[in-house]
Amino acid sequence: MTLEASMPAPSSPERRLAKDSVGLAHIVFFVVAAAAPLTAVVGASPAAFAFGNGAGVPGAFVLAGLLYLLFSVGFTAMSRHVGGAGAFYTYITHGIGKPAGVGGAFMALVTYSAVQIAIYGLFGFFMANTIAPLGLVLPWWAWAFAALVVVLVCGQRNIAFSGAILGVCMIAEIAILLVLDLAIVFSGGGPEGISFSSFAPSSVFAPGLGVALVFVIGSFIGFEATAIFGEEAEDPEKTIPRATYVAVLLITLFYAFSTWAIVQFYGPGKVQAAAASSLDSFYFTAANSVLGAWSSQAMNVLLITSLFACILSFHNTLNRYFFALGREGLAAQVLGKVHARHGSPYAAGLLQSLIAAVVLGLFVIFGADPYTVVFSWMAALAGIGILLVQVLVSVAIVMFFRKTPNSYSAWTTMIAPALALLGLIGSLVLVSSNLSLLSGSESLIVKAFPYAMVLVGVLGALFAIRIKRSKPALYASLGKVFE
């Protein structure tokens, strides 16, 4: 029996995700939840203020948003030609070639897994500190594993179920920050009043911009997940591009507005010193002063729900990567099966949850601190990984449209992707050269992350080449499942 005959057809029910399960709003919820607005603003931006360009941080978010809007031009155009749960894997395969596609898929798996592990660590850390005063004292890892079980159960359901949960969490965390932002603005700001100097070139391009971008770029991880849900989206040719642009614009505007508002509270001339002296309480101090003690308590609770939403979003993203590889035949075929009732990639969800549990268990065994090691190290690894994959995708977009007849303008198929490529390479250099600052560690392990991630990609490419030699029929079919 041939390989093709032994594999279920991609179009068979057990090999297809539930069609028309999610609309524009659901997909945007997934993407914005993955960006974890409250976590990014309250957790990442204080470091950007303290170590970066100070009052120019809101402008840095605008620059990053413009970079990803440029990336989205070619990305969304190509989504009309290729699609499916494989996302980046599918793009790179069709643009550059199958070895590069498999290498990109390996890097994406490591990247999203690292993000998920990082957030599990942070979730456990905040839960332990928040619940302990109420009399329930548990180690961080107990809360992390509890979250893992709940996320697994949610991921087994229809994708719309997770989308509804993410929608509630996202609206709540955005609401509390908007209340704070508007209260600062309507109160007339702080000691220096209201000004828009944060967006002036002299502030944005001040010394430290490169360092600020290290933290800012990381806050956008996950926006590309729009394409992953193409197979389950209603009218994907329209929904995916719209969801991508809406998500990038929402994230950019929200981050820029929230960081601009906090600059007004402290004052452009004092915000950098204020952040440096109180990284962990930077926003909570403002909330207590402007809104009262209730607001900082609410922000603490919503920070936890923000982290949970982030985990759930990346869990669903990872499920679809494992599902894609299983359906392609690059991994165990059972991973390419979907739930008979919910149409979800349940087998892929079980596997990647098991992997997360094992990695978390190793961190626990070696006594790793959930914040300074689990979160910081894994976040740094993810930052390197996502930029490397996005660089490959930008190259793939240009190569794909050079060999594919289309009616798009040169701006869509060449200029915008090329500009995005240059920006992403520059961001990759910045992040790689500032890994110690990003991770808070001088460890040689951390410094080796860029090389390790490149090695992962090379191993993926070599794996594809090995398949070409040993299983030519399987190699020939790669990428066709998603056509």
Side-chain angles (χ1 to χ4, degrees), residues 111-194:
T111 294
Y112 291 129
S113 296
V115 173
Q116 197 178 32
I117 296 300
I119 304 303
Y120 274 126
L122 200 59
F123 178 88
F125 173 79
F126 279 113
M127 276 295 290
N129 289 341
T130 301
I131 302 300
L134 302 179
L136 182 59
V137 180
L138 293 173
W140 70 269
W141 51 264
W143 295 109
F145 281 111
L148 188 148
V149 172
V150 175
V151 166
L152 173 61
V153 172
C154 291
Q156 299 289 292
R157 301 288 301 275
N158 183 280
I159 189 68
F161 178 79
S162 293
I165 294 175
L166 294 176
V168 172
C169 293
M170 185 196 76
I171 291 171
E173 62 181 294
I174 287 179
I176 189 65
L177 272 176
L178 279 179
V179 169
L180 173 60
D181 298 341
L182 293 174
I184 291 173
V185 173
F186 286 118
S187 66
E192 300 177 43
I194 299 291

Side-chain angles (χ1 to χ4, degrees), residues 297-365:
Q297 294 168 357
M299 285 176 70
N300 253 322
V301 173
L302 291 174
L303 184 60
I304 291 172
T305 62
S306 171
L307 291 169
F308 176 81
C310 184
I311 296 171
L312 181 57
S313 181
F314 278 108
H315 174 83
N316 281 283
T317 298
L318 269 168
N319 286 358
R320 281 147 185 80
Y321 263 99
F322 277 110
F323 168 80
L325 295 182
R327 194 165 67 176
E328 285 273 67
L330 291 170
Q333 291 181 26
V334 68
L335 297 179
K337 290 187 176 182
V338 299
H339 196 282
R341 177 182 176 187
H342 299 296
S344 61
Y346 72 99
L350 287 170
L351 174 65
Q352 68 105 346
S353 294
L354 176 62
I355 293 172
V358 170
V359 176
L360 280 171
L362 290 174
F363 276 122
V364 173
I365 291 172

